């Protein structure tokens, strides 16, 4: 596995890391199997979060089985205040069952107001710096889906890493990644296949890792075969050929910008609709020539886009500011034809 320096942390991390969102859906036995497979295939960097259900706990079981010395562990919290972040750091340590967390990140700082709050004297950053001085964490990072937030953050000198979406359909962070490299700040790439919207996973990961400003990319993986396939890319990293680049850029162009990344932050829906699943099934209906299959699955759901009352409670939670109500109306119309 190719190793890359994670900025000023000086951690030599695997170019492909383990993204901890989907592991929350498996049981303890499967979680241990996934962490073992990650180690066997060269991964040494794990990224999780307080907000990912049982992810920290399940990863903790895997760390115990494989040896703490084999891992760089990153987690994150959406806490914005000093007291809330201080509490979450201790919870993360307990859930992961480790003494020190290598990288603790402020999670999804989306707005100027949130950024000003975390950076204030009573904000989350103070708790993180205190925990670092106490040896509870080693380095501090920040994640966002808002480019302007990171453009400010990298200039403060407070952060060892940044984390942002990057893939062939979302290349807008290339400038900030270059600036981060100049400032010796590590770059962690989330959403490497746009939440599953990009079908050609290998080409997308190769596209990302061609960028030498990227430290590590963290696809979410809940199957051993996904781990083997994704690590194989970094174990034999080759630049895209002209033909391969054309394939992945054509796919990116077809996706456009108004699509769901399946992060799940829109939940819960007051009507009980699984919002991301609506868009997945719509793609099968309209793009992948699986009309009968998609309609059968859609009609088998208890709640669908037909039940959307356009309350809008989901939209402020979407990190991509998608017009979910408009998109749900489109899904309903497509499945009514």
């Amino acid at each position: 596995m190719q190793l890359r320096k994670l900025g000023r942390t000086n951690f030599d991390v695997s170019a492909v890391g383990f993204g901890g969102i989907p592991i929350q859906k498996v049981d303890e036995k499967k979680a241990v199997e996934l962490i073992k497979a990650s180690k066997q295939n060269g991964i040494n960097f794990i990224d999780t979060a307080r907000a990912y259900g049982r992810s920290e706990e399940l990863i903790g079981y895997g760390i115990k089985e494989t040896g703490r010395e084999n891992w760089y562990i990153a987690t994150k919290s959406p806490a914005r205040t000093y007291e809330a972040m201080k509490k979450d750091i201790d919870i993360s340590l307990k859930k992961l069952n480790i003494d020190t967390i290598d990288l603790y990140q402020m999670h999804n700082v989306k707005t100027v107001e949130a950024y000003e709050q975390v950076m204030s004297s009573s904000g989350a950053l103070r708790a993180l710096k205190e925990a670092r001085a106490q040896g509870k964490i080693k380095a501090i990072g920040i994640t966002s889906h808002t480019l302007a937030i990171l453009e400010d953050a990298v200039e403060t000198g407070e952060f060892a890493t940044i984390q942002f979406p990057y893939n062939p359909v979302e290349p807008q962070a290339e400038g900030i990644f270059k600036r981060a490299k100049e400032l010796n700040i590590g770059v962690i790439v989330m959403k490497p296949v746009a939440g599953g919207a990009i079908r050609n996973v290998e080409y997308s990961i190769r596209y990302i890792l061609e960028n030498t400003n990227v430290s590590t990319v963290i696809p979410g993986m809940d199957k051993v075969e996904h781990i083997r396939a994704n690590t194989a890319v970094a174990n034999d990293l080759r630049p895209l050929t002209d033909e391969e680049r054309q394939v992945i850029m054509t796919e990116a162009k077809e996706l456009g910008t108004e699509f769901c990344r399946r992060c799940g932050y829109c939940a819960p829906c007051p009507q009980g609709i699984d919002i991301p699943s609506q868009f997945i099934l719509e793609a099968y209906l309209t793009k992948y020539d699986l009309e009968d299959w998609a309609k059968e699955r859609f009609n088998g759901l208890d709640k669908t886009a037909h039940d959307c009352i356009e309350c809008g409670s989901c939209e402020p939670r979407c990190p991509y500011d998608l017009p979910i109500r408009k998109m749900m109306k489109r899904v309903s119309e497509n499945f009514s034809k």
Side-chain angles (χ1 to χ4, degrees), residues 161-290:
T161 66
I162 59 172
Q163 185 175 149
F164 195 81
Y166 179 60
N167 54 63
V169 77
E170 298 173 289
Q172 63 269 27
E174 289 181 349
I176 193 63
F177 288 176
K178 182 175 183 294
R179 181 59 177 155
K181 184 70 173 288
E182 292 170 352
L183 296 170
N184 198 23
I185 294 172
V187 170
I188 303 167
V189 167
M190 60 169 139
K191 302 293 184 292
V193 289
I198 295 174
R199 302 184 76 192
N200 200 317
V201 177
E202 178 194 340
Y203 288 2
S204 188
I205 292 177
R206 285 167 62 191
Y207 170 94
I208 293 164
L209 292 179
E210 281 183 344
N211 188 331
T212 56
N213 298 321
V214 170
S215 306
T216 185
V217 55
I218 50 169
M221 298 178 284
D222 59 0
K223 293 181 173 59
V224 171
E225 52 265 39
H226 293 165
I227 293 169
R228 290 172 179 157
N230 293 338
T231 54
V233 178
N235 285 330
D236 182 27
L237 188 58
R238 295 171 286 110
L240 291 169
T241 66
D242 291 342
E243 292 77 13
E244 291 168 338
R245 192 176 306 279
Q246 181 63 40
V247 168
I248 193 64
M249 298 314 294
T250 297
E251 182 178 356
K253 184 177 180 180
E254 289 173 350
L255 275 173
T257 58
E258 196 173 281
F259 64 93
C260 176
R261 280 77 166 178
R262 299 194 294 186
C263 64
Y265 291 162
C266 55
C269 167
Q271 304 306 307
I273 304 167
D274 182 344
I275 295 171
S277 71
Q278 306 302 296
F279 303 129
I280 294 168
L281 290 172
E282 182 191 32
Y284 284 121
L285 176 75
T286 61
K287 295 181 180 180
Y288 304 146
D289 195 28
L290 290 167

